[in-house]
Amino acid sequence: LGLYAFGVMSKRKVKDRWVPWICIIMPMLTYLINAYSQSLLNGYVFGFDIIILNGFLTFLALMTISRAVVNNKKPSIS
């Protein structure tokens, strides 16, 4: 979900070799957060909103490994 949102909403260029690692690590991190959420978040239990957390963490990780695309087009004079 985060990978899709990043691709749709961003024009940034990612380092391609890191994307599969992020897509593997973020669900594991989300699982750990879900497993320990009651003790970490004062009794909060995730439901379907765990998907939102996973998408947000994936989006943030992709923003971390990306860079802005520089537009080097020169304006045309007609």
Side-chain angles (χ1 to χ4, degrees):
L1 189 61
L3 181 64
Y4 176 76
F6 184 82
V8 169
M9 294 192 300
S10 173
K11 299 286 185 195
R12 298 176 65 93
K13 179 78 174 153
V14 295
K15 296 176 185 172
D16 291 335
R17 68 177 189 201
W18 289 99
V19 173
W21 290 105
I22 287 175
C23 291
I24 292 170
I25 292 170
M26 286 305 128
M28 287 189 229
L29 180 63
T30 305
Y31 173 78
L32 289 174
I33 292 171
N34 187 31
Y36 296 105
S37 68
Q38 288 184 342
S39 61
L40 291 174
L41 303 172
N42 297 326
Y44 184 76
V45 178
F46 284 100
F48 285 112
D49 52 346
I50 196 73
I51 296 169
I52 297 169
L53 177 65
N54 183 14
F56 179 71
L57 291 175
T58 304
F59 191 91
L60 282 181
L62 290 170
M63 284 295 286
T64 303
I65 66 160
S66 67
R67 58 182 163 78
V69 175
V70 179
N71 189 357
N72 290 332
K73 292 182 181 179
K74 295 180 181 178
S76 61
I77 301 173
S78 357

